[in-house]
PDB file of all heavy atoms in Angstrom:
ATOM      1  N   ALA A 199     109.662  96.800 101.641  1.00 94.00           N
ATOM      2  CA  ALA A 199     108.946  97.795 102.447  1.00 94.00           C
ATOM      3  C   ALA A 199     109.902  98.492 103.411  1.00 94.00           C
ATOM      4  O   ALA A 199     109.836  99.715 103.599  1.00 94.00           O
ATOM      5  CB  ALA A 199     107.808  97.122 103.211  1.00 94.00           C
ATOM      6  N   PHE A 200     110.793  97.723 104.021  1.00 94.00           N
ATOM      7  CA  PHE A 200     111.770  98.293 104.951  1.00 94.00           C
ATOM      8  C   PHE A 200     112.718  99.248 104.215  1.00 94.00           C
ATOM      9  O   PHE A 200     113.029 100.337 104.712  1.00 94.00           O
ATOM     10  CB  PHE A 200     112.568  97.168 105.615  1.00 94.00           C
ATOM     11  CG  PHE A 200     113.642  97.649 106.555  1.00 94.00           C
ATOM     12  CD1 PHE A 200     113.312  98.255 107.754  1.00 94.00           C
ATOM     13  CD2 PHE A 200     114.976  97.487 106.222  1.00 94.00           C
ATOM     14  CE1 PHE A 200     114.306  98.700 108.624  1.00 94.00           C
ATOM     15  CE2 PHE A 200     115.975  97.928 107.078  1.00 94.00           C
ATOM     16  CZ  PHE A 200     115.635  98.535 108.282  1.00 94.00           C
ATOM     17  N   PHE A 201     113.155  98.853 103.016  1.00 95.00           N
ATOM     18  CA  PHE A 201     114.019  99.710 102.210  1.00 95.00           C
ATOM     19  C   PHE A 201     113.286 100.999 101.837  1.00 95.00           C
ATOM     20  O   PHE A 201     113.852 102.092 101.892  1.00 95.00           O
ATOM     21  CB  PHE A 201     114.463  98.965 100.949  1.00 95.00           C
ATOM     22  CG  PHE A 201     115.304  99.790 100.014  1.00 95.00           C
ATOM     23  CD1 PHE A 201     116.620 100.100 100.328  1.00 95.00           C
ATOM     24  CD2 PHE A 201     114.769 100.251  98.815  1.00 95.00           C
ATOM     25  CE1 PHE A 201     117.389 100.865  99.468  1.00 95.00           C
ATOM     26  CE2 PHE A 201     115.531 101.012  97.952  1.00 95.00           C
ATOM     27  CZ  PHE A 201     116.848 101.327  98.279  1.00 95.00           C
ATOM     28  N   GLY A 202     112.005 100.870 101.467  1.00 94.00           N
ATOM     29  CA  GLY A 202     111.216 102.052 101.128  1.00 94.00           C
ATOM     30  C   GLY A 202     111.065 102.987 102.308  1.00 94.00           C
ATOM     31  O   GLY A 202     111.195 104.217 102.170  1.00 94.00           O
ATOM     32  N   ALA A 203     110.804 102.422 103.500  1.00 94.00           N
ATOM     33  CA  ALA A 203     110.674 103.253 104.702  1.00 94.00           C
ATOM     34  C   ALA A 203     111.998 103.929 105.041  1.00 94.00           C
ATOM     35  O   ALA A 203     112.026 105.091 105.462  1.00 94.00           O
ATOM     36  CB  ALA A 203     110.200 102.396 105.878  1.00 94.00           C
ATOM     37  N   GLY A 204     113.107 103.197 104.845  1.00 94.00           N
ATOM     38  CA  GLY A 204     114.423 103.779 105.079  1.00 94.00           C
ATOM     39  C   GLY A 204     114.703 104.929 104.130  1.00 94.00           C
ATOM     40  O   GLY A 204     115.264 105.964 104.528  1.00 94.00           O
ATOM     41  N   CYS A 205     114.299 104.768 102.860  1.00 94.00           N
ATOM     42  CA  CYS A 205     114.468 105.838 101.871  1.00 94.00           C
ATOM     43  C   CYS A 205     113.620 107.058 102.242  1.00 94.00           C
ATOM     44  O   CYS A 205     114.050 108.208 102.067  1.00 94.00           O
ATOM     45  CB  CYS A 205     114.098 105.345 100.485  1.00 94.00           C
ATOM     46  SG  CYS A 205     115.276 104.174  99.775  1.00 94.00           S
ATOM     47  N   CYS A 206     112.406 106.803 102.725  1.00 92.00           N
ATOM     48  CA  CYS A 206     111.547 107.903 103.186  1.00 92.00           C
ATOM     49  C   CYS A 206     112.245 108.713 104.274  1.00 92.00           C
ATOM     50  O   CYS A 206     112.274 109.948 104.236  1.00 92.00           O
ATOM     51  CB  CYS A 206     110.227 107.352 103.738  1.00 92.00           C
ATOM     52  SG  CYS A 206     109.077 106.705 102.521  1.00 92.00           S
ATOM     53  N   LEU A 207     112.827 108.000 105.221  1.00 90.00           N
ATOM     54  CA  LEU A 207     113.481 108.645 106.350  1.00 90.00           C
ATOM     55  C   LEU A 207     114.734 109.400 105.907  1.00 90.00           C
ATOM     56  O   LEU A 207     114.984 110.535 106.338  1.00 90.00           O
ATOM     57  CB  LEU A 207     113.835 107.585 107.400  1.00 90.00           C
ATOM     58  CG  LEU A 207     114.119 108.041 108.834  1.00 90.00           C
ATOM     59  CD1 LEU A 207     112.969 108.873 109.379  1.00 90.00           C
ATOM     60  CD2 LEU A 207     114.356 106.825 109.721  1.00 90.00           C
ATOM     61  N   LEU A 208     115.508 108.791 105.016  1.00 92.00           N
ATOM     62  CA  LEU A 208     116.738 109.432 104.535  1.00 92.00           C
ATOM     63  C   LEU A 208     116.423 110.675 103.700  1.00 92.00           C
ATOM     64  O   LEU A 208     117.042 111.742 103.897  1.00 92.00           O
ATOM     65  CB  LEU A 208     117.538 108.433 103.708  1.00 92.00           C
ATOM     66  CG  LEU A 208     118.841 108.947 103.087  1.00 92.00           C
ATOM     67  CD1 LEU A 208     119.822 109.369 104.177  1.00 92.00           C
ATOM     68  CD2 LEU A 208     119.468 107.884 102.190  1.00 92.00           C
ATOM     69  N   LEU A 209     115.470 110.548 102.785  1.00 91.00           N
ATOM     70  CA  LEU A 209     115.141 111.666 101.904  1.00 91.00           C
ATOM     71  C   LEU A 209     114.462 112.816 102.649  1.00 91.00           C
ATOM     72  O   LEU A 209     114.470 113.956 102.166  1.00 91.00           O
ATOM     73  CB  LEU A 209     114.253 111.190 100.758  1.00 91.00           C
ATOM     74  CG  LEU A 209     114.959 110.326  99.712  1.00 91.00           C
ATOM     75  CD1 LEU A 209     113.963 109.770  98.701  1.00 91.00           C
ATOM     76  CD2 LEU A 209     116.031 111.146  98.991  1.00 91.00           C
ATOM     77  N   TYR A 210     113.894 112.526 103.807  1.00 88.00           N
ATOM     78  CA  TYR A 210     113.319 113.598 104.607  1.00 88.00           C
ATOM     79  C   TYR A 210     114.382 114.636 104.960  1.00 88.00           C
ATOM     80  O   TYR A 210     114.116 115.844 104.986  1.00 88.00           O
ATOM     81  CB  TYR A 210     112.705 113.023 105.886  1.00 88.00           C
ATOM     82  CG  TYR A 210     112.275 114.084 106.877  1.00 88.00           C
ATOM     83  CD1 TYR A 210     111.038 114.703 106.754  1.00 88.00           C
ATOM     84  CD2 TYR A 210     113.115 114.470 107.932  1.00 88.00           C
ATOM     85  CE1 TYR A 210     110.640 115.686 107.653  1.00 88.00           C
ATOM     86  CE2 TYR A 210     112.722 115.450 108.835  1.00 88.00           C
ATOM     87  CZ  TYR A 210     111.498 116.053 108.690  1.00 88.00           C
ATOM     88  OH  TYR A 210     111.110 117.028 109.572  1.00 88.00           O
ATOM     89  N   PHE A 211     115.601 114.157 105.208  1.00 90.00           N
ATOM     90  CA  PHE A 211     116.692 115.062 105.585  1.00 90.00           C
ATOM     91  C   PHE A 211     117.427 115.616 104.365  1.00 90.00           C
ATOM     92  O   PHE A 211     118.172 116.593 104.486  1.00 90.00           O
ATOM     93  CB  PHE A 211     117.691 114.330 106.487  1.00 90.00           C
ATOM     94  CG  PHE A 211     117.099 113.884 107.793  1.00 90.00           C
ATOM     95  CD1 PHE A 211     116.725 112.558 107.988  1.00 90.00           C
ATOM     96  CD2 PHE A 211     116.900 114.787 108.829  1.00 90.00           C
ATOM     97  CE1 PHE A 211     116.171 112.150 109.191  1.00 90.00           C
ATOM     98  CE2 PHE A 211     116.349 114.381 110.041  1.00 90.00           C
ATOM     99  CZ  PHE A 211     115.986 113.053 110.217  1.00 90.00           C
ATOM    100  N   LEU A 212     117.238 115.007 103.192  1.00 88.00           N
ATOM    101  CA  LEU A 212     117.980 115.438 102.002  1.00 88.00           C
ATOM    102  C   LEU A 212     117.146 116.285 101.045  1.00 88.00           C
ATOM    103  O   LEU A 212     117.687 117.152 100.349  1.00 88.00           O
ATOM    104  CB  LEU A 212     118.512 114.208 101.251  1.00 88.00           C
ATOM    105  CG  LEU A 212     119.498 113.309 102.011  1.00 88.00           C
ATOM    106  CD1 LEU A 212     119.891 112.126 101.140  1.00 88.00           C
ATOM    107  CD2 LEU A 212     120.727 114.109 102.441  1.00 88.00           C
ATOM    108  N   SER A 213     115.854 116.028 100.984  1.00 84.00           N
ATOM    109  CA  SER A 213     115.007 116.749 100.030  1.00 84.00           C
ATOM    110  C   SER A 213     113.577 116.809 100.534  1.00 84.00           C
ATOM    111  O   SER A 213     113.062 115.826 101.072  1.00 84.00           O
ATOM    112  CB  SER A 213     115.040 116.052  98.664  1.00 84.00           C
ATOM    113  OG  SER A 213     114.109 116.637  97.771  1.00 84.00           O
ATOM    114  N   GLN A 214     112.941 117.948 100.338  1.00 85.00           N
ATOM    115  CA  GLN A 214     111.547 118.121 100.737  1.00 85.00           C
ATOM    116  C   GLN A 214     110.625 118.198  99.529  1.00 85.00           C
ATOM    117  O   GLN A 214     109.483 118.648  99.633  1.00 85.00           O
ATOM    118  CB  GLN A 214     111.407 119.394 101.582  1.00 85.00           C
ATOM    119  CG  GLN A 214     112.087 119.322 102.939  1.00 85.00           C
ATOM    120  CD  GLN A 214     111.504 118.259 103.847  1.00 85.00           C
ATOM    121  OE1 GLN A 214     110.278 118.110 103.935  1.00 85.00           O
ATOM    122  NE2 GLN A 214     112.345 117.501 104.524  1.00 85.00           N
ATOM    123  N   SER A 215     111.115 117.742  98.372  1.00 90.00           N
ATOM    124  CA  SER A 215     110.299 117.793  97.160  1.00 90.00           C
ATOM    125  C   SER A 215     109.181 116.754  97.222  1.00 90.00           C
ATOM    126  O   SER A 215     109.276 115.753  97.943  1.00 90.00           O
ATOM    127  CB  SER A 215     111.160 117.549  95.925  1.00 90.00           C
ATOM    128  OG  SER A 215     111.592 116.201  95.882  1.00 90.00           O
ATOM    129  N   LEU A 216     108.141 116.993  96.450  1.00 90.00           N
ATOM    130  CA  LEU A 216     107.013 116.066  96.412  1.00 90.00           C
ATOM    131  C   LEU A 216     107.432 114.703  95.895  1.00 90.00           C
ATOM    132  O   LEU A 216     106.992 113.668  96.403  1.00 90.00           O
ATOM    133  CB  LEU A 216     105.898 116.644  95.531  1.00 90.00           C
ATOM    134  CG  LEU A 216     104.649 115.779  95.351  1.00 90.00           C
ATOM    135  CD1 LEU A 216     103.973 115.521  96.687  1.00 90.00           C
ATOM    136  CD2 LEU A 216     103.678 116.442  94.371  1.00 90.00           C
ATOM    137  N   LEU A 217     108.295 114.704  94.888  1.00 90.00           N
ATOM    138  CA  LEU A 217     108.765 113.440  94.306  1.00 90.00           C
ATOM    139  C   LEU A 217     109.542 112.621  95.330  1.00 90.00           C
ATOM    140  O   LEU A 217     109.434 111.388  95.357  1.00 90.00           O
ATOM    141  CB  LEU A 217     109.638 113.721  93.081  1.00 90.00           C
ATOM    142  CG  LEU A 217     109.898 112.534  92.140  1.00 90.00           C
ATOM    143  CD1 LEU A 217     108.593 112.028  91.547  1.00 90.00           C
ATOM    144  CD2 LEU A 217     110.874 112.927  91.042  1.00 90.00           C
ATOM    145  N   ALA A 218     110.325 113.302  96.166  1.00 90.00           N
ATOM    146  CA  ALA A 218     111.102 112.606  97.191  1.00 90.00           C
ATOM    147  C   ALA A 218     110.199 111.992  98.258  1.00 90.00           C
ATOM    148  O   ALA A 218     110.639 111.123  99.021  1.00 90.00           O
ATOM    149  CB  ALA A 218     112.090 113.570  97.846  1.00 90.00           C
ATOM    150  N   TYR A 219     108.956 112.428  98.303  1.00 91.00           N
ATOM    151  CA  TYR A 219     107.970 111.827  99.212  1.00 91.00           C
ATOM    152  C   TYR A 219     107.215 110.687  98.527  1.00 91.00           C
ATOM    153  O   TYR A 219     107.074 109.595  99.085  1.00 91.00           O
ATOM    154  CB  TYR A 219     106.982 112.889  99.689  1.00 91.00           C
ATOM    155  CG  TYR A 219     105.785 112.333 100.422  1.00 91.00           C
ATOM    156  CD1 TYR A 219     105.894 111.877 101.736  1.00 91.00           C
ATOM    157  CD2 TYR A 219     104.539 112.231  99.799  1.00 91.00           C
ATOM    158  CE1 TYR A 219     104.797 111.347 102.411  1.00 91.00           C
ATOM    159  CE2 TYR A 219     103.446 111.711 100.464  1.00 91.00           C
ATOM    160  CZ  TYR A 219     103.571 111.269 101.766  1.00 91.00           C
ATOM    161  OH  TYR A 219     102.484 110.737 102.426  1.00 91.00           O
ATOM    162  N   LEU A 220     106.771 110.932  97.308  1.00 92.00           N
ATOM    163  CA  LEU A 220     105.886 109.982  96.643  1.00 92.00           C
ATOM    164  C   LEU A 220     106.570 108.679  96.253  1.00 92.00           C
ATOM    165  O   LEU A 220     106.008 107.596  96.438  1.00 92.00           O
ATOM    166  CB  LEU A 220     105.283 110.623  95.384  1.00 92.00           C
ATOM    167  CG  LEU A 220     104.342 111.804  95.603  1.00 92.00           C
ATOM    168  CD1 LEU A 220     103.865 112.348  94.269  1.00 92.00           C
ATOM    169  CD2 LEU A 220     103.159 111.400  96.471  1.00 92.00           C
ATOM    170  N   VAL A 221     107.794 108.754  95.727  1.00 93.00           N
ATOM    171  CA  VAL A 221     108.468 107.556  95.217  1.00 93.00           C
ATOM    172  C   VAL A 221     108.790 106.558  96.329  1.00 93.00           C
ATOM    173  O   VAL A 221     108.424 105.378  96.222  1.00 93.00           O
ATOM    174  CB  VAL A 221     109.728 107.939  94.417  1.00 93.00           C
ATOM    175  CG1 VAL A 221     110.513 106.683  94.036  1.00 93.00           C
ATOM    176  CG2 VAL A 221     109.339 108.722  93.166  1.00 93.00           C
ATOM    177  N   PRO A 222     109.485 106.961  97.415  1.00 93.00           N
ATOM    178  CA  PRO A 222     109.782 105.965  98.456  1.00 93.00           C
ATOM    179  C   PRO A 222     108.538 105.449  99.168  1.00 93.00           C
ATOM    180  O   PRO A 222     108.496 104.293  99.591  1.00 93.00           O
ATOM    181  CB  PRO A 222     110.709 106.718  99.416  1.00 93.00           C
ATOM    182  CG  PRO A 222     110.460 108.154  99.162  1.00 93.00           C
ATOM    183  CD  PRO A 222     110.100 108.267  97.719  1.00 93.00           C
ATOM    184  N   VAL A 223     107.513 106.296  99.295  1.00 94.00           N
ATOM    185  CA  VAL A 223     106.257 105.840  99.908  1.00 94.00           C
ATOM    186  C   VAL A 223     105.620 104.754  99.044  1.00 94.00           C
ATOM    187  O   VAL A 223     105.163 103.726  99.562  1.00 94.00           O
ATOM    188  CB  VAL A 223     105.283 107.025 100.110  1.00 94.00           C
ATOM    189  CG1 VAL A 223     103.862 106.523 100.354  1.00 94.00           C
ATOM    190  CG2 VAL A 223     105.728 107.876 101.284  1.00 94.00           C
ATOM    191  N   ALA A 224     105.602 104.972  97.723  1.00 94.00           N
ATOM    192  CA  ALA A 224     105.048 103.958  96.819  1.00 94.00           C
ATOM    193  C   ALA A 224     105.847 102.664  96.905  1.00 94.00           C
ATOM    194  O   ALA A 224     105.276 101.563  96.867  1.00 94.00           O
ATOM    195  CB  ALA A 224     105.042 104.490  95.386  1.00 94.00           C
ATOM    196  N   LEU A 225     107.158 102.777  97.045  1.00 95.00           N
ATOM    197  CA  LEU A 225     108.011 101.597  97.176  1.00 95.00           C
ATOM    198  C   LEU A 225     107.672 100.834  98.453  1.00 95.00           C
ATOM    199  O   LEU A 225     107.566  99.596  98.452  1.00 95.00           O
ATOM    200  CB  LEU A 225     109.481 102.028  97.186  1.00 95.00           C
ATOM    201  CG  LEU A 225     110.534 100.922  97.073  1.00 95.00           C
ATOM    202  CD1 LEU A 225     110.440 100.217  95.735  1.00 95.00           C
ATOM    203  CD2 LEU A 225     111.931 101.513  97.263  1.00 95.00           C
ATOM    204  N   MET A 226     107.502 101.561  99.543  1.00 95.00           N
ATOM    205  CA  MET A 226     107.137 100.931 100.814  1.00 95.00           C
ATOM    206  C   MET A 226     105.779 100.239 100.710  1.00 95.00           C
ATOM    207  O   MET A 226     105.608  99.089 101.144  1.00 95.00           O
ATOM    208  CB  MET A 226     107.104 101.984 101.925  1.00 95.00           C
ATOM    209  CG  MET A 226     106.712 101.433 103.283  1.00 95.00           C
ATOM    210  SD  MET A 226     106.584 102.703 104.569  1.00 95.00           S
ATOM    211  CE  MET A 226     105.055 103.527 104.092  1.00 95.00           C
TER     212      MET A 226
END
Side-chain angles (χ1 to χ4, degrees):
F200 178 69
F201 177 73
C205 289
C206 288
L207 199 54
L208 178 62
L209 288 173
Y210 171 84
F211 297 102
L212 298 178
S213 173
Q214 292 297 317
S215 70
L216 178 61
L217 196 62
Y219 169 76
L220 294 178
V221 173
V223 163
L225 190 64
M226 179 183 73

